[in-house]
Amino acid sequence: MTEAELDFEVDPEDLEGLAPPSRELGGPSLVVDHLDITYRVFGGKKLGTSENAGSRSLRRVVGRGSGHVGAVQQIRAVKDISFVARHGESIGIVGINGSGKSTLLRAVAGLIPPTSGAVYAAGEPSLLGVNAVLMGDLTGERNVMIGGLALGLSRAEVQERFKDIVDFSGIGDFVYLPMKAYSSGMGARLRFAISTASTPDILMIDEALATGDAAFREKSKARIDAIREQAGTVFLVSHSLATVQAICSRVLWIHEGNLVMDGPTDEVTEAYRQYVRGRAKKR
Amino acid sequence: MSGTTAARCGPRPRAPTQERVPPHVTASSHPVAPAPATRGAKSAPAVASPPPPIQSTVTSEELRALALASGLERMGVRPPLRQYLSDLWGRRAFTWELSRSKAYARNRNNYLGQAWSVLTPLLNAAVYVIIFGIILETGRGLDNAIAFMVVGTFIFRFFEHSVTGGAKAIRGNTSLVRAIRFPRAVLPISVVLSELVTLGPALVVMVVVSYASGFFPNYAPVPISWRWLLLPFAIVLLAVFNAGCAFVMARWVAVAPDVQNLIGFAMRFIMYGSGVIFSIQHFVGNDVVARVLQHQPVAVFLDLCRACVLNEPSIPMTWQIWVWAAAWAVVACVGGFVYFWRGEERYGRD
């Protein structure tokens, strides 16, 4: 399995508006203060014990390092990250798989409580993730209602926007089928449409755009721009550098849970690209 | 996650890119987490490697001051109880929609669909009636053992499902918890509500079957009574009690998933200790033990529901039993809710 999975494919549609519109930035909308996230993971071997685990058979059965009984390990996914985001800014987060991007995003959205440090945000962040299946057994219609209510809309507001949401997602009559019958792209599109149904102060997108087709990408970029227009802040985690370059004005590079680079899109993506090429060659 | 990649990269040589703090960044980050010694052993050749972590120059105090000056709110902290309650009330439409959808989704994959929400408890009751009532004759001391067992199994099932469902409320919905922010108490509550929704039609069947059992020879009739009208109130009290249990279980299992394996045993213990299919009074000789068993919450609720539906001389409708039931419901719900709320900031991290 390669960790350096990267999407170099550049669609002409993405390149058209390559430079994200620059605009006046407002005051801080998000302050991340020395954030640290430690996970507990059940099952699986303790890291670094594989060499000496086989020495004693008893230890292998009952020992803590064996992975059969009491296998709990602490994983420090985000290590002491601090940054400040401003209103109207769109920030990309890049890094190889498993570097802690999604965890950082969730913590910033207030979904994973920090182990230490703090996150301060203006308003209610809305996270949009590929993995955030709402309820697969239920129809898209019901999921629109649940998702909308969960985001804090009222029942009437959701009903009012229902048609918009379905139209935007472009899934048509599939909305009346259970979500488990959807293709991954359809699911992602519906989730995107739900999450952006109310204009969030902070929108966080976790690799969701990669699944859409070109036409959908165009639409979603327009919507993201609209959110930024209203002085919102957008975070985007993506493996597609083309998407990051098209949307973001600033990029954070996360590596092994550390923030290793923070700067304008071109500089960071260029450095990151070189790093990933180097890794790919090494293998 | 990140630890696995860490082992292979080894110590990093100086990065090709210059470390810099862009002008528009107000605060950047700080020191490297010291890598364990074992990682240093596998030294990698000088290939492309990421720049070292950005050194932080800004202290927590400065960041906090900046955040507060800009009117930002701190995320991921447990709100005070009063605010938590009002947040929860604000999400009532969401809670209700979630409960309804769950109740509906449960039997969607079957041909008979929603009919199963009535058929399952009915078959369940039939098993107990045949084995215990007819073959083992545990119905001694009762005028109508069939009705007694049917009410017992239907009501106990509501309790059992609320507790087992509540146990999975956080852990089974991790993707939802990690996707959307809302007071997590919504989840255990919606479990109990969705059980309540499924119970509705089952209750009608329960009463009808109890009534019909009175026409069997050797079983006393179950007359139509004004007391039937009290059943919904008894069920509401039981739902409140169940919610309290669901809160406690949800937190336990969120912290230690192993607890889930013990629930089955605990449930069997409670089932036999509450006289679901036999009369405690008649079978437990020791007076003290019988009293304790009869006043523990599940037995109280079973008796309360039976007093509403049946016409058993040994289970009279008294005001004491209502007081006991109400007290258990309030104690469980308030205690469970506070206990659950105190763990709020932890849910979703594991």
Side-chain angles (χ1 to χ4, degrees):
Chain A
M1 190 184 89
T2 165
E3 283 147 347
E5 170 197 308
L6 180 66
D7 182 6
F8 277 120
E9 163 203 15
V10 177
D11 288 354
E13 291 89 339
D14 280 338
L15 284 172
E16 261 168 37
L18 183 65
S22 61
R23 62 171 60 87
E24 292 275 302
L25 295 179
S29 63
L30 187 88
V31 173
V32 176
D33 165 21
H34 298 273
L35 182 70
D36 229 288
I37 303 280
T38 306
Y39 263 110
R40 260 191 326 165
V41 175
F42 289 90
K45 277 201 166 99
K46 272 229 160 47
L47 297 173
T49 53
S50 50
E51 295 90 10
N52 47 25
S55 54
R56 285 188 189 166
S57 54
L58 183 68
R59 242 191 80 81
R60 210 165 24 187
V61 179
V62 297
R64 272 191 76 81
S66 68
H68 299 295
V69 175
V72 180
Q73 38 181 306
Q74 306 269 340
I75 288 181
R76 206 161 157 226
V78 172
K79 299 167 186 163
D80 212 345
I81 289 184
S82 303
F83 63 89
V84 173
R86 293 169 177 283
H87 287 286
E89 204 167 24
S90 53
I91 300 177
I93 301 179
V94 297
I96 57 175
N97 288 357
S99 52
K101 305 180 297 288
S102 298
T103 309
L104 174 66
L105 206 60
R106 294 210 161 94
V108 167
L111 297 166
I112 299 178
T115 311
S116 74
V119 176
Y120 305 88
E124 188 85 353
S126 164
L127 179 89
L128 168 70
V130 177
N131 307 322
V133 178
L134 296 171
M135 292 180 87
D137 278 342
L138 297 177
T139 60
E141 191 185 12
R142 285 234 168 179
N143 273 301
V144 168
M145 182 53 89
I146 293 180
L149 292 172
L151 290 171
L153 296 176
S154 75
R155 198 177 284 272
E157 282 172 319
V158 180
Q159 272 156 3
E160 189 184 304
R161 294 172 204 196
F162 180 76
K163 199 174 171 304
D164 276 352
I165 294 173
V166 176
D167 285 351
F168 185 84
S169 68
I171 61 171
D173 283 345
F174 270 93
V175 77
Y176 301 110
L177 290 182
M179 270 190 88
K180 64 187 171 191
Y182 289 18
S183 76
S184 59
M186 280 157 56
R189 270 148 47 186
L190 185 60
R191 273 190 292 276
F192 182 87
I194 294 173
S195 307
T196 54
S198 68
T199 306
D201 298 309
I202 301 175
L203 175 66
M204 312 202 169
I205 305 163
D206 193 351
E207 301 184 22
L209 298 185
T211 38
D213 50 32
F216 183 73
R217 260 187 258 189
E218 189 72 9
K219 274 203 286 188
S220 48
K221 187 177 178 306
R223 192 165 265 202
I224 289 171
D225 284 343
I227 289 169
R228 286 174 54 212
E229 204 70 55
Q230 293 167 37
T233 306
V234 177
F235 280 88
L236 171 72
V237 164
S238 180
H239 282 288
S240 159
L241 288 185
T243 312
V244 170
Q245 278 174 330
I247 291 174
C248 304
S249 55
R250 172 184 168 192
V251 174
L252 309 178
W253 177 2
I254 310 292
H255 189 76
E256 294 172 16
N258 294 306
L259 178 62
V260 294
M261 211 174 164
D262 175 354
T265 305
D266 292 342
E267 283 175 32
V268 181
T269 48
E270 190 47 42
Y272 178 64
R273 188 170 307 198
Q274 270 173 16
Y275 163 67
V276 173
R277 285 216 175 108
R279 276 175 72 88
K281 243 175 247 164
K282 190 176 127 194
R283 267 146 215 273
Chain B
M1 275 168 79
S2 68
T4 47
T5 57
R8 283 183 221 138
C9 297
R12 351 186 149 90
R14 285 295 94 177
T17 33
Q18 274 265 283
E19 176 189 337
R20 83 200 87 200
V21 180
H24 64 293
V25 182
T26 323
S28 15
S29 208
H30 118 260
V32 202
T38 48
R39 287 184 194 168
K42 293 179 198 164
S43 194
V47 291
S49 64
I54 299 173
Q55 298 290 317
S56 165
T57 48
V58 189
T59 64
S60 283
E61 284 69 37
E62 287 171 298
L63 285 172
R64 184 178 309 133
L66 173 70
L68 296 181
S70 324
L72 306 187
E73 260 177 68
R74 190 164 175 184
M75 309 286 296
V77 289
R78 164 161 53 105
L81 192 53
R82 186 181 285 267
Q83 195 201 328
Y84 190 70
L85 277 168
S86 80
D87 285 355
L88 195 58
W89 178 246
R91 293 304 177 96
R92 61 191 184 281
F94 172 51
T95 313
W96 177 239
E97 189 66 31
L98 201 61
S99 321
R100 247 176 20 142
S101 308
K102 268 191 200 153
Y104 188 72
R106 192 167 305 152
N107 292 312
R108 258 186 90 89
N109 296 327
N110 295 308
Y111 283 114
L112 293 181
Q114 302 309 313
W116 281 111
S117 61
V118 169
L119 281 175
T120 323
L122 207 55
L123 291 173
N124 202 18
V127 169
Y128 286 118
V129 166
I130 291 169
I131 304 259
F132 290 95
I134 296 173
I135 299 178
L136 296 177
E137 295 190 344
T138 55
R140 279 168 289 162
L142 298 168
D143 285 3
N144 187 334
I146 294 182
F148 182 91
M149 288 182 191
V150 166
V151 174
T153 46
F154 271 66
I155 300 299
F156 184 75
R157 201 182 135 83
F158 176 39
F159 168 74
E160 187 183 12
H161 280 209
S162 300
V163 172
T164 46
K168 284 181 239 155
I170 299 291
R171 217 158 245 288
N173 287 310
T174 315
S175 63
L176 192 63
V177 167
R178 288 192 181 160
I180 300 172
R181 229 158 62 96
F182 56 88
R184 306 312 185 197
V186 161
L187 294 171
I189 292 174
S190 79
V191 166
V192 176
L193 278 180
S194 82
E195 289 299 332
L196 198 58
V197 169
T198 357
L199 185 69
L203 277 183
V204 176
V205 172
M206 178 185 93
V207 172
V208 169
V209 170
S210 301
Y211 177 73
S213 73
F215 294 101
F216 279 91
N218 301 331
Y219 292 97
V222 179
I224 295 174
S225 159
W226 61 271
R227 285 176 286 119
W228 286 8
L229 298 177
L230 294 178
L231 185 62
F233 299 100
I235 296 296
V236 166
L237 282 183
L238 177 55
V240 171
F241 173 76
N242 286 350
C245 297
F247 284 134
V248 174
M249 295 312 298
R251 178 163 175 193
W252 279 355
V253 173
V255 174
D258 306 48
V259 173
Q260 222 174 332
N261 299 317
L262 302 176
I263 294 176
F265 302 107
M267 280 300 144
R268 219 153 304 156
F269 198 72
I270 295 173
M271 179 173 163
Y272 292 113
S274 312
V276 172
I277 48 177
F278 58 86
S279 156
I280 296 176
Q281 249 173 325
H282 193 80
F283 273 83
V284 181
N286 187 323
D287 201 41
V288 178
V289 175
R291 257 171 197 284
V292 170
L293 286 183
Q294 276 182 305
H295 289 95
Q296 53 97 349
V298 179
V300 166
F301 283 108
L302 287 177
D303 273 356
L304 181 64
C305 294
R306 283 175 183 141
C308 291
V309 178
L310 308 185
N311 192 28
E312 290 286 338
S314 59
I315 313 171
M317 169 76 76
T318 58
W319 63 267
Q320 284 98 334
I321 197 166
W322 282 99
V323 172
W324 273 99
W328 278 123
V330 170
V331 167
C333 190
V334 171
F337 183 77
V338 171
Y339 180 71
F340 183 86
W341 161 75
R342 290 173 70 93
E344 177 80 1
E345 70 269 30
R346 282 201 59 173
Y347 306 135
R349 193 189 295 159
D350 303 314

